[in-house]
């Protein structure tokens, strides 16, 4: 009888502790936000009569926490990416094309994702590329570190001396425990 009572008390304690965790997670806060970074660069100069493509590279630092999430910094449990886009914000020339093989990277000290163009990309303000769903797990790993990360590009363009600004946008749902 004493053993049955001990087992019953132990089982009750286990159930109540796991129930507390379940109840606590019921009050999690979910924040839909966009983590953004701009990347501005100028393609290499060319000789006036050159028909060769020109190179470029650039990188910038992006903060994971933004106005929507900074107050939850110590309480963030998870990031769930739902969309990643690279949008052309500005270009100071017409008929500009980023060539097949140009890469875009999102990385931090622990994780990264590289996306490479498989076809030429005509650059015009408002045009955007959407990264495939396969990138989302890698992007979540980067965001889960809650540390600044780097966005970068490396590639070739059909014109030299062109100034281009790209916006990297990561749509994500942030799950955090309530502030105490």
């Amino acid at each position: 009888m004493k053993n049955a009572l001990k087992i019953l008390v132990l089982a009750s304690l286990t159930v109540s502790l796991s129930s507390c965790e379940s109840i606590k997670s019921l009050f999690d806060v979910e924040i839909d936000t966009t983590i953004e970074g701009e990347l501005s660069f100028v393609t290499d100069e060319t000789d006036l009569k050159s028909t060769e493509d020109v190179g470029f590279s650039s990188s910038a630092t992006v903060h994971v926490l933004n106005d929507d999430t900074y107050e939850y910094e110590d309480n963030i449990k998870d990031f769930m990416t739902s969309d990643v886009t690279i949008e052309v914000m500005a270009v100071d020339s017409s008929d500009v094309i980023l060539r097949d093989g140009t890469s875009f990277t999102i990385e931090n000290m622990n994780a990264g994702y590289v996306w490479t163009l498989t076809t030429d990309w005509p650059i015009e303000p408002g045009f955007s590329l959407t990264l495939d769903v396969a990138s989302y797990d890698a992007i979540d790993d980067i965001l889960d570190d809650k540390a600044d990360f780097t966005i970068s590009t490396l590639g070739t363009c059909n014109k030299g001396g062109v100034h281009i600004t790209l916006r990297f946008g990561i749509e994500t749902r942030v799950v955090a425990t309530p502030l105490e």
Side-chain angles (χ1 to χ4, degrees), residues 36-163:
E36 302 177 310
E38 278 197 7
L39 190 58
S40 189
F41 58 94
V42 177
T43 61
D44 295 342
E45 291 291 334
T46 61
D47 296 330
L48 289 177
K49 296 186 180 198
S50 176
T51 58
E52 297 290 317
D53 288 339
V54 296
F56 61 88
S57 67
S58 183
S59 65
T61 300
V62 177
H63 304 291
V64 171
L65 301 176
N66 60 21
D67 290 344
D68 297 331
T69 60
Y70 75 92
E71 67 185 270
Y72 295 99
E73 178 178 10
D74 295 330
N75 299 43
I76 292 175
K77 294 166 68 174
D78 198 16
F79 288 86
M80 296 177 291
T81 299
S82 60
D83 191 44
V84 181
T85 58
I86 302 171
E87 181 181 0
V88 179
M89 301 304 291
V91 60
D92 68 357
S93 185
S94 60
D95 300 320
V96 176
I97 299 171
L98 297 188
R99 295 296 188 195
D100 171 18
T102 295
S103 64
F104 303 95
T105 303
I106 301 172
E107 66 185 341
N108 66 12
M109 300 280 287
N110 300 315
Y113 185 79
V114 178
W115 189 64
T116 303
L117 292 177
T118 57
T119 60
D120 290 349
W121 183 25
I123 299 298
E124 292 184 30
F127 280 32
S128 64
L129 299 172
T130 301
L131 276 63
D132 57 37
V133 175
S135 68
Y136 296 176
D137 286 341
I139 303 299
D140 288 344
D141 289 343
I142 294 166
L143 300 177
D144 283 340
D145 288 340
K146 295 184 274 184
D148 293 350
F149 61 92
T150 302
I151 55 175
S152 61
T153 186
L154 173 66
T156 56
C157 180
N158 68 322
K159 288 186 172 184
V162 177
H163 183 245

